[in-house]
Every structure is written in structure tokens, then in C-alpha cells.
Amino acid sequence: MTAHYDQQPILQARSIVKRYGSVTAIDHADLTLYPGEILAVIGDNGAGKSSLIKALSGALIPDEGEILLDGKPVHFNSPMQARELGIETVYQNLAVSPALNIADNLFLGRELRKPGILGSVFRMLDKRAMEERAQAKMQELGLMTIQNISQAVESLSGGQRQGVAVARSALFGSKVVIMDEPTAALGVKESRRVLNLIKEVRDRGLPIILISHNMPHVFEVADRIHIHRLGKCAATITPDSHTMSEAVAIMTGAMEVNSDPVAA
Amino acid sequence: MSAANSKPSVHISDHDKVADQAGSGSYVANFEAKESPLERFKKFLHKYPVAAPTIVLILAIIGFSAIIGDRFLHPFNLSLILQQVTIIGVIGIAQTLIILTAGIDLSVGAIMVLASVVMGRMAIDHGIEAWLALLIGIGVGAITGLINGSLITRFKLPPFIATLGSWNVFFALNLWYSKSETIRSQEIANNAPLLQWLGETVTFFGARLTYGSLLMLALFVLIWYALNWTAWGRHVYATGDDPAAAKLAGIRTDRVLLSVYVLAGIVCAIGAWVLIGRIGSVSPQAGYTTNLDSITAVVIGGCSLFGGRGSIFGTLIGALVVGVFRNGLALAGVDVLWQEFTVGILIIVAVGVDQWIRRGKA
């Protein structure tokens, strides 16, 4: 594997707490992401994993605890701030605009303008530069079964749309990519392609936090698995150290473990 | 139990088989091979939203020139059609911007009339310089747009309701401020000829074009540029297409909406200047049908009322289609009521075609 567990963690959450009235969604949760790894986050519905992920992507402001990026404390008040620091999120509902084309979607909200007076005064978009960079990124990730970069996203299949969303995160994410259920809505063949794509992104040096309900997918691609239960991390295992049924047992509370195969 | 289990496994293996046959590279090509000509036509219309109204416009021109002959195709008559659609065209630009964001603005006509009354009274009754009166009128347009936009973004009112309310409010303000009196054309010509300047004509090859028509065409080009060549334009489409996705992509959709309503208000105020040029006088009762006519032009022009789809030039074509049908039917000596009838049919067909295009896209 390409992960580097001896290095400084790229992203760390320490003792994060988030309460909604009397409900504690995150209860002193920790999470550690090392350079070059895919960290899967699993947990039962209501275990608080999506709240934790939202805290890491800036969509939610935690009540207590700290988030460290490259060892330095950071505070996000919005997803835009997290994004500016290099944390990209691929949302479950993809956040792509169906009527716009692939290149427009990749650069949506971060368009490139022409150099010189055309860009500064007339605000003219540099469509060619955006198309070229989009093309290059899609090619690099092996997504060029999509033939035409200027075709509307709505003409793509579910897996190809997922590919566009992943390509966008890989294009702008400089530190971390967070993926929320990337294979949930896909068929068998398309899931396979997306899993390969996730590995491809990891192999290009971007660490990934992968949220998924699909145990076979998690065990196939993850380097480590963070199991969330009752608002905190119940255990961190690897696909080699535990079986799928053991992971489910930890997730549901039928089995208790307190070992981090890396930290220990 | 066993039946329930076997069913999905059959489905999954089928899926793999099909996917394997398709291979990795030929996915898309396989799809196209199965298409019927009708499907292909549908895709063409989907990709080029201006195509359908353009086809209708060309057929209408061919049809009317066959029935009526040279009188219809004479440059003078064609330029007359252009003059007749100028106001609807300008207001249609404002309406297009709003419909692209999946909104609707029922107050565009009222904003135009209010702005024209402000321009007229400022210049004539208050003796303010004509250019300044124009600017004040345009400022009124911007403020009315800001009010609409705030009601929709801040108070989360549906655009239909917000602008239904503001339509009545703006119209009442217009009656109050004008004291329901018309400012006569002669008075404007003597004291503030600039207000009527857009009604003056230039002649090209027997076609008489007003400055108003030329300004309308310039506005279309300007807004086309903004929609297609600036980030703001992409954001307008994205906001109308899927506001949740646009927000997640980092677009401040409320700001985009607000800017669209303010711009629409300004365009309506420019329409007020065109209106004064066209009718010469300033009347609080003018342009009463402009609201619905502008929506008609946008819809016939192929813009989707669901937002995010359509082209600004479609609206120009849509306005011309209405203008050609009205003019042609009038020249053919058909009773006026059949003009309304025809426009009604065109609207229904246009929306029907839009629904058909949007349904079951591959």
C-alpha cells in the first residue's frame, strides 16, 4: 500500500462534540487520516458518521474539539473555507448541474477567466483552457469513455456523472477528498469503475475518506476502516485484521475492540 | 423466499452480461445505434433550444409570403414587424433572465410603465434634464427589481406570488404618481426630445428601423454575452437548473437570484424608454398586456419554465414568431380574434414540445 503511517497525519479530528438540543450527535469523536491512504468510515444509521464528515467538510461547526490539517488547527465556517484549504467533498447527490456540460461542471463556481483585459474588464471565460484542463483530468483518471467534454452531464450515465464529480474533487482537492456513498446509486459494472477510480485518485497521492454502507466495497478499497458507533470511534481496523462480519459486529455493538492496528 | 432471492441475482448477471457486451469504450456508440429518427430529432431540439422556434418562424414566413405575396415580404413590412415586437423583445429579455432561474415575473409590465411615468414626470413636470430623468427612471427599475428579488431570496416567497403582489403595488404607485394623467407627445417633443429619441428611424434599403429596435438587438447581444461568456451567466443557468447542486458547488444562489431580478428591473426601465419612443406620450395605462406577452415570447422561444434551459435569442425568435403571425393574419384580413387564438395555440404547442423534449431523455 502507498499509505505512510509514520508520517504526520494529514487530517485529524480530536474529541469533536456536536449537540442538537439534548441529542449528542458526535460525542468526543476522533479520526485520523494519513497521507496516501483510503480511510473508510462505516457506522449504523444514526451513529453520527455523517455529522462527523460534515464537521470535516465545513458543513457543520462543532461545539467542542479541534480539527488539525497538516498538524495545524483549522476552523471552518462554511464548506467554501474547507475547500479553499484543499478539502474537497463529493456529495451523495453529486452537486452537478445536469444541463451544463462536463467542463462547465468541473469548474462551476471556480471558473477561469481569460488573461488580460478580456478577463479583467469583460469578465470573459477562458472556455478553451477549462476544456483542456477538464479533458486532461478526465483522461488522467481513465474517464475518457466519456467522449465529448462539451456534452451535457444529463446525457451521462450514473457512473459517468459520479466520475465527473470525482474528477472535480481531484482537480481542486490538494489535501483530502471526502466521498459520501459514491457507489450507492450505481449498478455492478459502474460501481466497479468508480471503485477503480477511487483507487486511481489515491494512487495519485490524494488521501480519501470514504463513507459507505457497502461492506464488500469498503473491504476492497480501504486501507483502514474507521468504525463509528454511538457518536464516536468504536475501533479502527484494517481489511486484514478483521473480517466483514467482525466489522459489522463492532458496528452494532455485538463485539468490543479497542485496538488501533496502526497506533498500537 | 427463494424466489425473492433469485430475482435480483438474475438481474445482476444480466446487467453484467450487457455491460460486458458493450465493452468499455463503445457504451455511448451502442446507445446511438438504437435511436430512431424521431429520437434523434428530439435530441437535436434538446441540444439546440432555439431550433424549434426558428423552424416555426421560417415556416410562418414562407407560409404568409405564399398567401399574401410581396406585400408581406416588403422590407417596409418586415421592419414594421420588428418595430411591433421591440417592446416585447426588450421586456422578454428581462423575463428570460428570470425564467432561466426557474422564476417568473408578473410585474415586468408594471415596472416598465412606472419607470416611464417617472421619466416623463421628472423631465416634464419637475423640469429635470432629460438624461437625468432617464437615469432616475432606470434607478426606479433597479429598486423595483431589488424589491422583487428581496421578497424571493430573503422572505422565500414563490416568485409567482411575490411578483403578483408587486405587480399590483407598482401599478397602483404608477396611477398615484401619474395622477392617472397622460403626458402628451407634443409636450415631450418640446421639452425633452431625448425621451422620444428611440422612436426615430434610420433607413436601410427601404427598411425603416427605429433606434429602439437597434437598442433591443444590442441588448440581446449584450445579455447573450453575459449568459454564455461570463461566470455569472453559468451561475444563472446552474441556479435555475438545480439550486441545491449549485449551492453545494459553492455558488451563492441568493446573490445570483438577486442580481437577476435587479438586472431585469433595469432592463424593464430601458424598455420604458423604448415605450416612450414608440408611442410618443407617457401613459399610465400603456403596456398593460406586456407581462403576459413577454412570457409568451419566452415560452415560444423554447425557454423551459422549469429553469436552466433555453437561450436568450430564442426569446427574440419567439417575439418575432408572435409578430409575424399577428402581422400576417392582419394583412390576410383575418379577424383580430383569430390572432389571439393562434398565439394561444402557439403557447400550448411550445410548452408541449418542451415537455416532450424533457421527457425520457437518454
Side-chain angles (χ1 to χ4, degrees):
Chain A
M1 288 294 159
T2 44
H4 305 288
Y5 297 116
D6 48 340
Q7 291 182 9
Q8 183 180 49
I10 209 148
L11 186 68
Q12 246 182 319
R14 280 193 198 151
S15 212
I16 301 281
V17 176
K18 179 70 190 178
R19 298 186 192 89
Y20 297 103
S22 61
V23 180
T24 306
I26 318 176
D27 182 13
H28 297 92
D30 299 305
L31 179 143
T32 308
L33 178 72
Y34 289 96
E37 73 166 338
I38 297 177
L39 175 70
V41 175
I42 61 173
D44 214 349
N45 289 338
K49 62 180 188 305
S50 61
S51 296
L52 177 65
I53 293 313
K54 279 183 184 162
L56 295 176
S57 65
L60 175 157
I61 302 167
D63 299 326
E64 290 173 32
E66 59 177 356
I67 296 170
L68 304 175
L69 185 65
D70 281 334
K72 291 185 227 38
V74 286
H75 296 278
F76 310 132
N77 293 316
S78 74
M80 281 313 280
Q81 288 180 353
R83 205 178 277 184
E84 276 159 24
L85 292 173
I87 301 175
E88 281 288 318
T89 306
V90 180
Y91 296 95
Q92 193 172 356
N93 48 1
L94 294 182
V96 290
S97 204
L100 297 183
N101 71 34
I102 296 169
D104 280 342
N105 263 293
L106 283 185
F107 286 90
L108 191 58
R110 289 180 282 211
E111 291 83 356
L112 304 178
R113 288 208 297 264
K114 286 227 159 113
I117 196 164
L118 280 177
S120 60
V121 177
F122 296 101
R123 325 293 284 177
M124 192 187 239
L125 293 175
D126 198 341
K127 289 191 181 179
R128 198 196 300 168
M130 290 194 282
E131 278 170 18
E132 279 170 5
R133 283 188 57 185
Q135 188 99 29
K137 186 48 91 175
M138 300 293 275
Q139 208 127 37
E140 185 188 316
L141 294 173
L143 283 167
M144 281 325 290
T145 48
I146 297 169
Q147 293 172 333
N148 185 353
I149 209 78
S150 60
Q151 78 188 96
V153 162
E154 68 196 346
S155 67
L156 303 178
S157 71
Q160 290 173 326
R161 286 185 204 201
Q162 190 78 52
V164 171
V166 173
R168 173 163 65 185
S169 68
L171 187 58
F172 291 100
S174 57
K175 303 274 187 198
V176 178
V177 175
I178 299 172
M179 297 191 195
D180 190 4
E181 299 281 3
T183 56
L186 301 180
V188 178
K189 189 92 180 176
E190 293 216 313
S191 289
R192 179 109 338 270
R193 288 190 189 158
V194 169
L195 291 177
N196 289 336
L197 180 60
I198 293 170
K199 287 192 233 170
E200 187 70 34
V201 172
R202 187 261 323 267
D203 293 344
R204 283 170 191 284
L206 265 179
I208 293 166
I209 298 177
L210 170 73
I211 299 102
S212 182
H213 269 103
N214 189 314
M215 287 296 159
H217 290 173
V218 164
F219 271 74
E220 182 189 330
V221 300
D223 297 307
R224 289 190 308 136
I225 302 166
H226 168 117
I227 304 176
H228 215 65
R229 177 173 150 71
L230 302 176
K232 61 179 123 192
C233 179
T236 307
I237 62 172
T238 72
D240 298 328
S241 69
H242 291 72
T243 65
M244 266 187 232
S245 38
E246 282 169 338
V248 173
I250 298 169
M251 208 169 95
T252 54
M255 178 176 163
E256 276 195 36
V257 186
N258 228 342
S259 68
D260 189 319
V262 176
Chain B
M1 190 67 196
S2 67
N5 277 341
S6 68
K7 211 174 178 190
S9 75
V10 167
H11 172 79
I12 287 167
S13 62
D14 276 357
H15 187 287
D16 265 352
K17 211 186 292 166
V18 172
D20 283 336
Q21 279 168 1
S24 55
S26 56
Y27 236 173
V28 181
N30 262 15
F31 253 103
E32 274 170 7
K34 274 184 271 174
E35 273 175 1
S36 67
L38 190 67
E39 279 297 309
R40 221 172 284 182
F41 181 59
K42 188 177 180 177
K43 247 189 182 168
F44 172 75
L45 292 181
H46 193 254
K47 197 164 180 199
Y48 302 101
V50 187
T54 308
I55 293 168
V56 172
L57 181 63
I58 292 169
L59 290 179
I61 291 174
I62 292 172
F64 280 118
S65 39
I67 299 166
I68 303 160
D70 286 348
R71 211 153 43 100
F72 178 78
L73 277 180
H74 193 277
F76 177 78
N77 188 52
L78 295 182
S79 58
L80 184 70
I81 294 176
L82 193 64
Q83 282 181 40
Q84 285 166 340
V85 305
T86 296
I87 290 163
I88 300 303
V90 172
I91 303 304
I93 291 172
Q95 193 69 263
T96 308
L97 286 169
I98 284 160
I99 287 180
L100 280 178
T101 67
I104 193 128
D105 193 338
L106 299 177
S107 70
V108 284
I111 294 176
M112 175 181 74
V113 180
L114 179 61
S116 77
V117 165
V118 169
M119 287 171 181
R121 282 213 62 190
M122 285 290 163
I124 306 301
D125 296 356
H126 301 301
I128 289 173
E129 291 278 337
W131 64 267
L132 191 57
L134 278 178
L135 277 186
I136 294 171
I138 287 169
V140 167
I143 292 169
T144 53
L146 187 66
I147 293 170
N148 281 337
S150 306
L151 289 173
I152 288 154
T153 57
R154 193 149 300 197
F155 300 100
K156 307 292 173 201
L157 297 185
F160 184 89
I161 300 300
T163 58
L164 180 64
S166 62
W167 171 17
N168 287 291
V169 170
F170 299 154
F171 192 69
L173 286 178
N174 145 53
L175 291 181
W176 164 75
Y177 187 64
S178 65
K179 302 181 194 126
S180 297
E181 285 170 8
T182 298
I183 304 172
R184 285 179 300 113
S185 179
Q186 196 56 47
E187 223 172 327
I188 298 172
N190 290 340
N191 299 308
L194 179 65
L195 294 189
Q196 293 175 336
W197 180 72
L198 290 178
E200 286 176 26
T201 55
V202 278
T203 309
F204 294 107
F205 310 106
R208 287 174 59 216
L209 296 175
T210 60
Y211 288 119
S213 300
L214 297 175
L215 178 67
M216 172 193 73
L217 294 175
L219 274 176
F220 269 104
V221 172
L222 187 73
I223 300 296
W224 169 83
Y225 173 82
L227 282 174
N228 291 286
W229 283 94
T230 71
W232 176 82
R234 303 287 82 194
H235 297 176
V236 169
Y237 277 93
T239 301
D241 194 19
D242 187 341
K247 233 179 244 177
L248 286 176
I251 293 171
R252 282 185 268 189
T253 52
D254 277 356
R255 264 196 192 190
V256 172
L257 285 178
L258 201 60
S259 70
V260 162
Y261 280 90
V262 171
L263 180 58
I266 291 170
V267 171
C268 289
I270 294 172
W273 189 17
V274 178
L275 177 72
I276 300 172
R278 173 109 185 102
I279 62 177
S281 58
V282 169
S283 163
Q285 306 291 349
Y288 198 71
T289 61
T290 313
N291 278 345
L292 297 180
D293 289 347
S294 72
I295 297 172
T296 302
V298 175
V299 167
I300 292 177
C303 241
S304 169
L305 288 170
F306 299 96
R309 261 160 247 271
S311 155
I312 189 78
F313 281 115
T315 298
L316 178 59
I317 306 285
L320 286 172
V321 166
V322 175
V324 163
F325 269 95
R326 285 189 187 277
N327 176 279
L329 290 171
L331 285 183
V334 178
D335 194 317
V336 177
L337 70 90
W338 295 111
Q339 293 183 20
E340 306 302 327
F341 182 88
T342 312
V343 171
I345 298 290
L346 283 174
I347 296 173
I348 292 167
V349 170
V351 176
V353 168
D354 178 49
Q355 293 283 27
W356 176 65
I357 292 171
R358 290 160 49 87
R359 214 180 307 126
K361 52 196 174 244

